[in-house]
Amino acid sequence: MKTDAKILICYNAPVSIFSVYNGKVPDKSTEANDLSEKSFLKELNKINSSLAKYFTQVDTLAIDMNIQKTIDGINSVKPDAIFNFVESVEGITAYEYCIAGLFELLGFSYTGSVPSSLGNCLNKDRTKNILTSFGIRTPKFLTFKPKQRFTKKDIDLRYPIILKLLREDASIGISEYSVVQNYTELNKQFKFLAETYKQEIILEEYIKGREINVAILGNEALPVSEIIFDGLPKGYPKIVTYDGKWIEDSTYYNYTNPVCPADLDDKVRDKIFSIAKDSFKALNCRDYARVDIRLDGKNNPYVIEVNPNPDLSTDSGFSRSAKAGGLNHEELLFTIADYALQRKKLYDTKNKAG
């Protein structure tokens, strides 16, 4: 029997704002094979159909800069819960947290994290400072503005160093050139990123070791997933690049392979679960999130990023971990939607009692 509830799926309308997304000189074949926006739009119908099996009404709404249209669209549906898939507004990721704030101002329950958590996690500098304040291990880093001048002496970090855009996710700007071995390489990649994306860049000590993802659902960690880079050509750093996620038939796409559950001994797995849960709490995440971790040569976990709004597509890492934990994709979506519905019920009950 279906739950008598109206679910509104809100997502960001696809749009491109950068000349290149994968952190290197543009290539026509790359643009043609970019699955970043196309893949979600294909998934949207699957998500709609999955939720429709559990709830009496499911609608979708594309979010753009026309906020009045968004408000009117939400109010016309009057959903019991909003499934929040919004990661940007017309390509601007800095507005992600604003849409969650809009949901709150309008008084609607929604899935996922609150605005402050979304904003904090998008800013890698702020995320790492929060993690450090809680005693959570994260690589040493420096942040520079795009036009800021610095010298070799200002880089108080050990090489190799990885360069990332401070306020982007989905591996935007990350390529095989992101990991640098010396100041000359660093300066070259910094200039490219600064001129191309015109935003702050974070420099981080690169942790050589295994790439681990931990999906948190509710307050529990799902089976650990590992990214395997076997077969990657010599000279390519073992990192999750934009190509690896989104550019079909690219070198990284072909040799970036997830394995879940990861082959870990119990002691290491326990350490990973502990640091992932602590990171989830430190950033005040809600409902679900993905914690990205690197293991050094001694299996010490370093938190790289916390993603409070991770991809939930059928082939996503989060869905893979959920499946390994006993939840199929439809059950995963229902579980997350139900979190928001339960909050609405609690809110309604308190209002009636008051």
Side-chain angles (χ1 to χ4, degrees), residues 35-71:
L35 304 174
S36 57
E37 295 290 359
K38 300 174 188 175
S39 60
F40 177 75
L41 292 179
K42 288 181 180 179
E43 286 285 329
L44 190 60
N45 287 334
K46 295 179 183 178
I47 293 169
N48 194 323
S49 297
S50 294
L51 291 172
K53 293 180 180 180
Y54 293 100
F55 304 106
T56 54
Q57 181 178 331
V58 180
D59 297 287
T60 60
L61 179 65
I63 305 296
D64 56 25
M65 288 290 193
N66 190 336
I67 297 303
Q68 189 58 57
K69 184 183 73 174
T70 295
I71 293 171

Side-chain angles (χ1 to χ4, degrees), residues 112-237:
S113 291
V114 297
S116 59
S117 297
L118 294 171
N120 286 337
C121 289
L122 184 63
N123 185 317
K124 297 177 180 65
D125 186 305
R126 192 179 303 155
T127 296
K128 289 163 78 67
N129 279 320
I130 292 172
L131 291 172
T132 300
S133 73
F134 279 85
I136 297 170
R137 187 185 289 114
T138 184
K140 189 177 178 182
F141 68 101
L142 293 170
T143 302
F144 293 106
K145 295 179 180 179
K147 293 184 179 181
Q148 187 173 346
R149 294 184 179 182
F150 55 84
T151 67
K152 189 175 183 178
K153 293 180 180 179
D154 296 320
I155 310 302
D156 184 25
L157 300 174
R158 290 180 302 176
Y159 289 93
I161 293 170
I162 183 168
L163 286 74
K164 304 175 185 177
L165 300 174
L166 184 69
R167 304 172 191 274
E168 298 293 340
D169 57 9
S171 293
I172 293 173
I174 298 180
S175 73
E176 60 267 35
Y177 304 111
S178 296
V179 178
V180 299
Q181 305 297 328
N182 52 58
Y183 182 75
T184 300
E185 292 180 4
L186 185 153
N187 201 36
K188 181 180 179 181
Q189 184 64 5
F190 182 91
K191 286 182 177 179
F192 175 80
L193 293 176
E195 291 171 2
T196 304
Y197 301 100
K198 296 176 174 58
Q199 60 178 275
E200 299 101 321
I201 297 162
I202 186 167
L203 283 55
E204 179 182 87
E205 290 186 353
Y206 173 64
I207 306 298
K208 292 182 180 179
R210 301 168 72 176
E211 177 89 21
I212 300 293
N213 306 138
V214 183
I216 307 288
L217 181 63
N219 294 312
E220 295 300 321
L222 298 175
V224 177
S225 182
E226 179 176 6
I227 306 299
I228 304 296
F229 300 97
D230 289 352
L232 196 65
K234 186 178 180 180
Y236 281 69

